[in-house]
Amino acid sequence: MTERIVNFSAGPGALPLPVLQEAQANLVSLPGVGASALEVSHRGAWFLGVIEEAEANLRALLDIPSSHRVLFIQGGATMQFSMVAMNLPRSGQRHADYVVSGTWGAKALAEAVRAGPTRLAWTDKDEGYTRVPGTEELLESIDADPAYVHVTTNETIQGVEYPDTPIVPDRIPLVADGSSDFLSRPIDIGRYAVLYAGAQKNAGPAGVTVAIVREDVLARVPDRVPTMLDYRTYADHESLYNTPPVFSIYVLMLVTRWLRDEIGGLEAMLEQNRAKAAMVYDLLDTLPDIYRGHADRDSRSLMNVTFRLPTEDLERRFVAEADAAGMVGLKGHRSVGGIRASIYNAMPLAGVERLTAFMRAFASAT
Amino acid sequence: MTERIVNFSAGPGALPLPVLQEAQANLVSLPGVGASALEVSHRGAWFLGVIEEAEANLRALLDIPSSHRVLFIQGGATMQFSMVAMNLPRSGQRHADYVVSGTWGAKALAEAVRAGPTRLAWTDKDEGYTRVPGTEELLESIDADPAYVHVTTNETIQGVEYPDTPIVPDRIPLVADGSSDFLSRPIDIGRYAVLYAGAQKNAGPAGVTVAIVREDVLARVPDRVPTMLDYRTYADHESLYNTPPVFSIYVLMLVTRWLRDEIGGLEAMLEQNRAKAAMVYDLLDTLPDIYRGHADRDSRSLMNVTFRLPTEDLERRFVAEADAAGMVGLKGHRSVGGIRASIYNAMPLAGVERLTAFMRAFASAT
């Protein structure tokens, strides 16, 4: 086997090695099936078992109540920007409120504007997206009776994350893009009308998106939403209205099984993620002259640690030397620059130790 | 390695064994990359090479002119039903004409009705979808100036296929769902304004759809189409506006490479497909008392051979005994019953020989 690099990419991100090994062992022919997961019928018994286990694992890991449906959709979070905006009804007086704490929230807002009345409820864009609103601040920023409130639980590009499930009054549907911290910690899923997540950070490979949708949302979908953008199409057909992304769902099932059996659930995962993130943030705090963290302390992401070096030239050297040492994907998003270390669930502690050792050595040599 | 069954499933369908073996060898770590294709960044050099080769292979195999763009999209052909209907402008006087030769054409029509004025130009639904219109019949059925004409080149459920690229006047945009005979034969791609195909029959695994779109279509997309349903989103960003289904595109690239290098192109593929289909259809013609073909002779699909046995009880026995002999996926679609043998590109001649030998023995024993 070729040696594996340490993958700090923001997404698609690293997958757990045991998941890759199991997918590899069965790639030409699944035991008892005699065909690859890349070529089996989505209506056959084997895949029906896979998608059922994927849902059951998600329900167990996130403690999803029976009031919520679990849907497997294609198109990524960007497709969800439209689906949310088209499935949750708005009328003249009832706009949607968007809380924008980074680039992805801004994209969600821009897409919602195309579909109906929308309001920017809160943003710190002018301060460079360094934090999420506090609990009181969030409550004060939203309107009395919006159609829904949309938040982004973790901003992948800026590395700012809500420390807990955001709170809005129960009567207001709360919708979240949870793509980049999905399954990284327990959440209070009952608070969400819709939580959606592209799989390619913590849940599986690119090509499948999970949407967890409360039943009352399904009951109010307006007419004439295109079939594949209508949440009911997925809810009414167990995500099998047409051919789903079979292999992506299979790998997602393996990842959720790994979370359940090898990690021991999301409390245990959070503990690991906190320990990994603390190693990097502590280093930033120890060496502030060379590493300047982007996010405010209370909004620091456990998934994407973003920081700057004193000059862009030093940042280029940092990325190049890390790359040469087998640590890839550390370059910040092209829209913001800097450094970003994405340390998703599948990043082992040893990978973060290699990074911090490198960072210490780089600082000493600079 | 577990033994592989002979897979007659209608889709997802069998993939070429060398493709599966190569994907397997690299599944944990791609040589020179050090990560799996399931977890690499879609903006990295390796994947950019993959998607470029996928497009180049498709262009070479189908002889796609520079007037046409090649787009990689999620959501399957069903999403294309909406995208076509929303991207090709219609107005009060200019409806879209739909030619419906089977279940999938009917579904495409139903979705188009949701988006604008639509007309059923031709169907043989009342005769049970046994044929496609002839050249003159097609020309007579369509209107003088429709917004576009939509056809389904191969109806997967009924097993009826156009023997050649359908002809409409040059001034009328021709749109086709080519999902289930895509890459099975050369086509006159220059005749199409849009040809789309879910990959999971001949081109790759489920989870990616290819749309080949003429530039003039892109120039006329109406405003306010949701971003992920707008063909320009894909054309303007080389199908990388958001995270694409990386692994599905990788496998599609391997399949197109296999078609190019191992098969030798689509003329050679067509010759093989004709030989395989002839074996089954000849048998139907030889034993008409037990095997009754569904499609009219001139509309017989090279991809999906559909037939009935004298009783449903015999059909159940046929499927069960074939299954026990390692030949799976032969049950007809649940909406029509009967038997369907899907013999896509990756089905080897030896697989068809096993099927026809079984069919002869089954007939003798009945």
Side-chain angles (χ1 to χ4, degrees):
Chain A
M1 191 181 80
T2 313
E3 203 192 344
R4 280 170 55 81
I5 46 88
V6 189
N7 185 356
F8 292 98
S9 293
L15 289 170
L17 185 57
V19 165
L20 294 173
Q21 287 167 332
E22 178 162 351
Q24 179 175 48
N26 299 333
L27 200 76
V28 168
S29 186
L30 290 153
V33 176
S36 171
L38 289 163
E39 52 179 4
V40 293
S41 169
H42 58 294
R43 310 241 178 241
W46 179 80
F47 183 68
L48 295 181
V50 166
I51 196 168
E52 274 170 29
E53 182 181 338
E55 174 170 347
N57 291 347
L58 288 171
R59 285 193 177 277
L61 288 165
L62 289 162
D63 197 15
I64 301 174
S66 60
S67 53
H68 286 63
R69 299 293 303 271
V70 177
L71 313 178
F72 299 99
I73 305 177
Q74 295 185 60
T78 307
M79 182 73 87
Q80 292 304 305
F81 297 166
S82 290
M83 287 182 68
V84 164
M86 294 169 82
N87 279 259
L88 280 78
R90 285 174 274 177
S91 58
Q93 297 306 308
R94 299 191 74 222
H95 51 256
D97 261 7
Y98 275 69
V99 179
V100 174
S101 51
T103 303
W104 290 106
K107 282 184 181 247
L109 169 64
E111 197 65 30
V113 166
R114 301 162 76 95
T118 308
R119 192 180 74 105
L120 173 60
W122 184 93
T123 189
D124 69 331
K125 183 184 181 193
D126 290 345
E127 290 77 50
Y129 293 133
T130 59
R131 66 185 187 94
V132 298
T135 302
E136 284 306 309
E137 197 180 1
L138 175 61
L139 285 173
E140 280 163 23
S141 70
I142 61 177
D143 238 342
D145 190 29
Y148 60 90
V149 172
H150 184 281
V151 300
T152 310
T153 57
N154 181 64
E155 283 284 355
T156 323
I157 291 177
Q158 283 80 18
V160 301
E161 184 180 17
Y162 285 83
D164 291 299
T165 304
I167 294 173
V168 301
D170 283 342
R171 69 178 185 281
I172 302 174
L174 177 62
V175 177
D177 176 357
S179 295
S180 54
D181 62 358
F182 189 57
L183 300 181
S184 72
R185 55 165 76 212
I187 55 174
D188 188 354
I189 189 75
R191 301 201 71 82
Y192 290 105
V194 180
L195 176 83
Y196 59 86
Q200 68 271 15
K201 321 292 189 183
N202 281 320
V208 61
T209 301
V210 176
I212 302 169
V213 181
R214 209 168 57 202
E215 293 275 8
D216 67 287
V217 171
L218 299 171
R220 297 184 301 131
V221 176
D223 289 339
R224 302 184 73 83
V225 175
T227 298
M228 294 302 287
L229 269 63
D230 188 326
Y231 282 132
R232 295 172 304 185
T233 301
Y234 303 84
D236 293 349
H237 298 87
E238 308 293 336
S239 303
L240 296 170
Y241 176 78
N242 72 339
T243 312
V246 171
F247 194 78
S248 294
I249 293 172
Y250 163 60
V251 178
L252 181 145
M253 182 279 284
L254 293 178
V255 171
T256 55
R257 190 190 279 176
W258 169 83
L259 272 168
R260 188 193 67 189
D261 296 347
E262 301 303 316
I263 300 297
L266 297 189
E267 284 289 358
M269 192 73 252
L270 175 58
E271 202 174 314
Q272 287 191 25
N273 286 330
R274 281 197 173 127
K276 290 185 288 176
M279 286 182 66
V280 192
Y281 285 118
D282 287 350
L283 190 66
L284 302 187
D285 293 340
T286 310
L287 298 168
D289 291 341
I290 179 149
Y291 301 119
R292 181 166 43 86
H294 174 78
D296 284 8
R297 188 170 294 265
D298 292 345
S299 300
R300 282 174 165 179
S301 169
L302 299 187
M303 298 286 101
N304 314 98
V305 182
T306 51
F307 54 96
R308 306 294 312 230
L309 272 68
T311 68
E312 291 189 9
D313 189 56
L314 270 176
E315 288 171 352
R316 272 189 292 272
R317 268 184 49 206
F318 182 96
V319 170
E321 290 182 21
D323 204 84
M327 288 170 278
V328 309
L330 286 163
K331 196 175 167 199
H333 190 268
R334 61 197 182 287
S335 64
V336 295
I339 308 293
R340 171 173 55 177
S342 296
I343 48 177
Y344 295 121
N345 286 354
M347 170 64 62
L349 188 67
V352 180
E353 284 169 348
R354 263 178 75 176
L355 175 65
T356 49
F358 168 80
M359 287 172 71
R360 267 190 218 96
F362 188 86
S364 302
T366 302
Chain B
M1 190 179 82
T2 314
E3 203 190 346
R4 280 170 56 81
I5 45 89
V6 188
N7 185 356
F8 291 98
S9 293
L15 289 171
L17 186 56
V19 166
L20 294 173
Q21 288 167 331
E22 178 162 352
Q24 180 175 46
N26 299 334
L27 200 75
V28 169
S29 187
L30 291 153
V33 176
S36 170
L38 290 163
E39 53 179 3
V40 293
S41 169
H42 58 294
R43 310 239 178 242
W46 179 81
F47 182 68
L48 296 180
V50 166
I51 197 168
E52 274 170 28
E53 182 182 336
E55 174 170 347
N57 291 347
L58 288 171
R59 287 193 175 276
L61 288 165
L62 290 162
D63 198 14
I64 301 173
S66 60
S67 53
H68 286 62
R69 299 293 303 270
V70 177
L71 313 178
F72 299 99
I73 305 176
Q74 295 185 61
T78 306
M79 182 72 87
Q80 292 303 305
F81 298 165
S82 290
M83 286 183 69
V84 163
M86 294 169 83
N87 279 260
L88 280 78
R90 287 175 272 177
S91 58
Q93 298 306 308
R94 300 191 71 221
H95 50 256
D97 261 8
Y98 275 70
V99 179
V100 174
S101 51
T103 303
W104 290 106
K107 282 183 181 248
L109 169 64
E111 197 66 29
V113 166
R114 300 163 76 94
T118 308
R119 192 180 74 105
L120 173 60
W122 183 93
T123 189
D124 68 330
K125 183 184 181 192
D126 290 345
E127 289 78 49
Y129 294 133
T130 59
R131 66 187 187 92
V132 298
T135 302
E136 285 305 309
E137 197 179 3
L138 176 60
L139 286 173
E140 281 163 21
S141 70
I142 60 177
D143 238 341
D145 190 30
Y148 61 89
V149 172
H150 183 281
V151 301
T152 311
T153 57
N154 181 65
E155 282 284 355
T156 323
I157 291 176
Q158 282 80 18
V160 302
E161 185 180 17
Y162 285 84
D164 292 298
T165 304
I167 294 173
V168 301
D170 283 341
R171 69 176 184 283
I172 302 174
L174 178 61
V175 177
D177 177 357
S179 295
S180 55
D181 62 358
F182 189 57
L183 300 182
S184 72
R185 56 165 76 212
I187 55 174
D188 189 354
I189 188 75
R191 300 203 71 82
Y192 290 105
V194 180
L195 178 83
Y196 60 86
Q200 68 271 18
K201 320 294 188 182
N202 282 320
V208 60
T209 301
V210 176
I212 301 167
V213 181
R214 210 167 56 201
E215 294 275 8
D216 66 287
V217 171
L218 300 172
R220 296 184 302 132
V221 176
D223 289 337
R224 302 184 72 86
V225 174
T227 299
M228 293 302 287
L229 270 65
D230 187 326
Y231 282 132
R232 296 171 303 185
T233 301
Y234 302 86
D236 292 348
H237 298 88
E238 309 294 336
S239 301
L240 295 170
Y241 176 77
N242 71 340
T243 312
V246 171
F247 194 78
S248 295
I249 294 172
Y250 164 60
V251 178
L252 181 145
M253 183 279 283
L254 293 178
V255 171
T256 55
R257 190 190 278 175
W258 169 83
L259 273 168
R260 187 193 68 189
D261 296 346
E262 301 303 315
I263 300 296
L266 297 189
E267 283 290 357
M269 193 71 253
L270 175 59
E271 201 174 314
Q272 288 191 25
N273 285 331
R274 280 197 173 126
K276 289 185 289 178
M279 286 182 66
V280 192
Y281 285 118
D282 287 352
L283 190 67
L284 302 187
D285 293 340
T286 309
L287 297 168
D289 291 342
I290 179 148
Y291 301 120
R292 182 165 44 84
H294 173 78
D296 284 9
R297 188 170 295 265
D298 293 344
S299 300
R300 282 175 165 178
S301 169
L302 299 187
M303 298 286 102
N304 313 98
V305 183
T306 51
F307 54 96
R308 305 297 311 231
L309 271 70
T311 67
E312 290 189 10
D313 189 55
L314 270 176
E315 289 171 350
R316 273 189 291 273
R317 268 185 49 207
F318 181 96
V319 169
E321 291 183 20
D323 203 83
M327 288 170 279
V328 309
L330 286 162
K331 195 174 167 199
H333 191 268
R334 62 198 182 284
S335 64
V336 296
I339 309 292
R340 171 173 56 176
S342 296
I343 48 176
Y344 296 121
N345 287 353
M347 170 65 63
L349 188 68
V352 180
E353 284 168 348
R354 264 177 75 175
L355 175 65
T356 50
F358 168 80
M359 287 173 70
R360 266 190 219 95
F362 188 88
S364 301
T366 302

